[in-house]
């Protein structure tokens, strides 16, 4: 079965500092990994995904994520945080080629708070 | 509209009432998903359609939940005899194709409160 863990409920960072939001996963086959962001009272917005190839994936709004197969991690990063980055972040995984399951499995979410 | 559209955005239902939530996916998208998101938690999968075929309904919590996509476009999630535990945000999502690497795009959700 596929699963995702986001070990931090909340991450606090000062504006201008680098940020990292952690994600680890468990799958039976090759993972397809996604990050989404959710602002208050809004749906999920796609940030980036890892399918295959380069382990460093670049996405929207200056975010990037590094796929690490040996550590089964896919941490979200940004070199310089903005107050407007404050939101709820979700990591998600799919390993459908092994299970036949099309659905994404989501983590519990990490709230990012960027202080001015 | 360029995105996934859901209606109503907000619904208050009395316990025992039936509700219907509508999803209009991005035009041409083959795959459609419904998720349930409780307050402060991650989305939980409910059901998946490929065109009009419901290929996975393993996440539907009870037989009070029913989804359809009769013409392979608009989808409706119906909840019969609503209970308080059904209070949640119901998210619809779509993707262009069924391949596993395809990006899934979400709507803004339908907020259901059962009183």
């Amino acid at each position: 079965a596929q699963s995702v863990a986001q070990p931090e409920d909340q991450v606090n960072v000062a504006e201008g500092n680098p940020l990292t939001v952690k994600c680890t996963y468990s799958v039976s086959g090759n993972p397809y990994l996604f990050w989404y962001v959710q602002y208050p009272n809004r749906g999920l917005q796609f940030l980036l995904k890892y399918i295959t190839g380069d382990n460093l994936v670049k996405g929207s709004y200056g975010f990037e994520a590094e796929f690490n197969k040996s550590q089964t991690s896919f941490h979200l990063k940004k070199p310089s945080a903005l107050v407007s980055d404050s939101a709820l972040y979700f990591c998600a995984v799919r390993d459908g080629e092994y299970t036949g399951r099309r659905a994404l499995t989501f983590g519990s979410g990490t709230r990012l708070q960027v202080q001015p | 509209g360029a995105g996934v559209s859901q209606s109503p955005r907000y619904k208050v239902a009395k316990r025992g009432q039936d509700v219907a939530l509508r999803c209009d996916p991005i035009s041409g998208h083959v795959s459609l998903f419904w998720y349930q998101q409780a307050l402060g938690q991650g989305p939980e999968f409910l059901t998946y359609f490929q065109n009009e075929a419901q290929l996975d309904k393993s996440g539907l919590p009870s037989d009070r939940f029913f989804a359809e996509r009769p013409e392979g476009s608009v989808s409706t999630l119906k909840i019969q005899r609503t209970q308080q535990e059904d209070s949640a945000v119901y998210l619809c999502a779509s993707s262009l194709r069924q391949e596993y690497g395809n990006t899934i795009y979400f709507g803004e959700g339908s907020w259901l409160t059962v009183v």
Side-chain angles (χ1 to χ4, degrees):
Chain A
Q2 55 194 34
S3 65
V4 175
Q6 293 183 243
E8 303 154 317
D9 289 337
Q10 181 154 327
V11 169
N12 297 308
V13 64
E15 188 175 31
N17 283 1
L19 70 88
T20 298
V21 182
K22 295 180 180 177
C23 171
T24 58
Y25 66 89
S26 174
V27 297
S28 301
N30 292 319
Y32 296 91
L33 294 154
F34 300 77
W35 275 101
Y36 287 85
V37 61
Q38 188 173 37
Y39 295 98
N41 301 327
R42 305 295 295 276
L44 278 74
Q45 294 180 29
F46 170 73
L47 281 179
L48 51 80
K49 66 182 178 184
Y50 171 82
I51 305 301
T52 187
D54 195 347
N55 289 344
L56 184 63
V57 178
K58 294 189 183 296
S60 306
Y61 313 119
F63 283 94
E64 58 190 28
E66 187 167 11
F67 171 66
N68 188 316
K69 188 172 183 178
S70 63
Q71 296 185 6
T72 61
S73 67
F74 189 55
H75 301 330
L76 182 70
K77 301 183 180 186
K78 188 173 182 181
S80 179
L82 300 172
V83 172
S84 57
D85 293 330
S86 299
L88 192 54
Y89 290 80
F90 290 98
C91 182
V93 70
R94 228 178 188 176
D95 69 346
E97 286 175 342
Y98 186 88
T99 64
R101 185 178 167 85
R102 304 281 178 185
L104 287 172
T105 296
F106 283 86
S108 54
T110 299
R111 186 164 300 282
L112 175 66
Q113 195 69 41
V114 181
Q115 283 109 15
Chain B
V4 178
S5 178
Q6 293 188 244
S7 61
R9 286 292 320 277
Y10 303 95
K11 175 71 177 177
V12 178
K14 291 185 178 178
R15 191 168 51 184
Q17 191 177 0
D18 297 349
V19 300
L21 308 176
R22 176 190 167 102
C23 173
D24 207 334
I26 296 172
S27 179
H29 278 202
V30 165
S31 296
L32 185 144
F33 303 83
W34 283 99
Y35 280 81
Q36 181 190 59
Q37 185 178 22
L39 194 62
Q41 297 184 23
E44 296 282 343
F45 169 74
L46 293 176
T47 188
Y48 163 71
F49 290 86
Q50 184 175 309
N51 296 306
E52 69 278 3
Q54 189 175 20
L55 299 185
D56 187 349
K57 51 183 180 179
S58 62
L60 295 176
S62 77
D63 59 8
R64 295 187 296 104
F65 287 71
F66 171 77
E68 60 183 5
R69 193 186 185 198
E71 297 178 1
S73 179
V74 170
S75 177
T76 303
L77 177 67
K78 297 179 180 178
I79 309 173
Q80 297 177 322
R81 304 181 304 281
T82 51
Q83 305 292 319
Q84 282 193 315
E85 61 263 28
D86 300 335
S87 295
V89 181
Y90 291 86
L91 296 168
C92 179
S94 69
S95 66
L96 180 61
R97 295 188 297 270
Q98 65 268 31
E99 285 81 5
Y100 298 104
N102 259 236
T103 299
I104 299 176
Y105 297 95
F106 283 79
E108 302 227 318
S110 290
W111 294 66
L112 174 65
T113 302
V114 181
V115 297

